[in-house]
Amino acid sequence: MDDLTARWRETARAAGATDPAAVERAGARLLTGWREPHRRYHDEAHLRAVLDVVDAYAGLARDPDLVRLAAWCHDAVYDPRAAGDANERASADLGGELLAAAGLPATTVTGVRRLVVLTAGHAVGPHDPDGALLCDADLAVLAAPAERYDRYAAAIRAEYAHVPDPDFRAGRSAALRHLLALPALYRLPEPHARWESRARANLSRELAALA
């Protein structure tokens, strides 16, 4: 059993799952998605990185196990050809189905679905520590050292290899400008203090290179 499977089981049990067999099926289905061969960034390593950040700052969340479940589900569906927030909504739907089948409370299922959809635009309200933690974890890579950030950007380009370069530059530039326009990339105090400046520098550098 790999460590991700163990982490999934622990989180599902802690969150109140009542059907062990369905928990196993859900974990297997989620990991199958995260391990799809077309993924170059939104893959198992990204899942692990998001979970690690959630664990590191779990004390800042209202319901850390809810955030962990949402981390597992947030890119469960990832099709680079999908438009808009279709991937996030499909991930929320799949996660909701799997969690409900595992016997998790309806309030938990609803909460996970809400958090997953938040990752489409990363716009979090001021009194939403669970949403803030998930989105901060999802965007943590933006504050990586320059070389690692560049590998991330190259992996995103590889996921969109089917898109002609001029179209990719336009779409990626729009996404970067959206992130830079957010009042804060990181909402929780410690991640904000540690990561905000470096993330904005990375985003600005990539945006300039795409011009």
Side-chain angles (χ1 to χ4, degrees), residues 77-128:
V77 176
Y78 186 73
D79 177 3
R81 297 176 185 271
D85 63 355
N87 281 323
E88 289 81 7
R89 294 197 175 279
S91 294
D93 289 344
L94 175 62
E97 293 170 9
L98 294 173
L99 298 179
L104 283 149
T107 53
T108 298
V109 175
T110 299
V112 168
R113 291 174 62 95
R114 181 189 74 83
L115 291 175
V116 170
V117 172
L118 275 183
T119 63
H122 300 95
V124 181
H127 305 295
D128 185 5

Side-chain angles (χ1 to χ4, degrees), residues 17-29:
T18 59
D19 186 331
V23 167
E24 295 300 310
R25 289 193 295 272
R29 172 62 184 85

Side-chain angles (χ1 to χ4, degrees), residues 26-40:
R29 172 62 184 85
L30 290 168
L31 283 173
T32 295
W34 284 102
R35 291 167 175 167
E36 290 170 332
H38 70 270
R39 298 178 185 235
R40 295 293 181 268

Side-chain angles (χ1 to χ4, degrees), residues 121-197:
H122 300 95
V124 181
H127 305 295
D128 185 5
D130 293 344
L133 178 55
L134 179 63
C135 288
D136 284 6
D138 192 31
L139 296 180
V141 68
L142 303 182
E147 287 187 6
R148 183 181 164 210
Y149 180 91
D150 291 346
R151 291 195 298 272
Y152 147 74
I156 294 294
R157 182 66 183 104
E159 288 184 336
Y160 287 87
H162 61 283
V163 178
D165 198 53
D167 294 339
F168 177 81
R169 286 175 176 269
R172 180 66 177 168
S173 294
L176 297 176
R177 284 192 293 268
H178 167 78
L179 289 169
L180 286 166
L182 291 172
L185 292 166
Y186 306 106
R187 288 79 171 179
L188 296 174
E190 187 173 344
H192 181 84
R194 292 181 58 195
W195 298 340
E196 187 79 15
S197 295

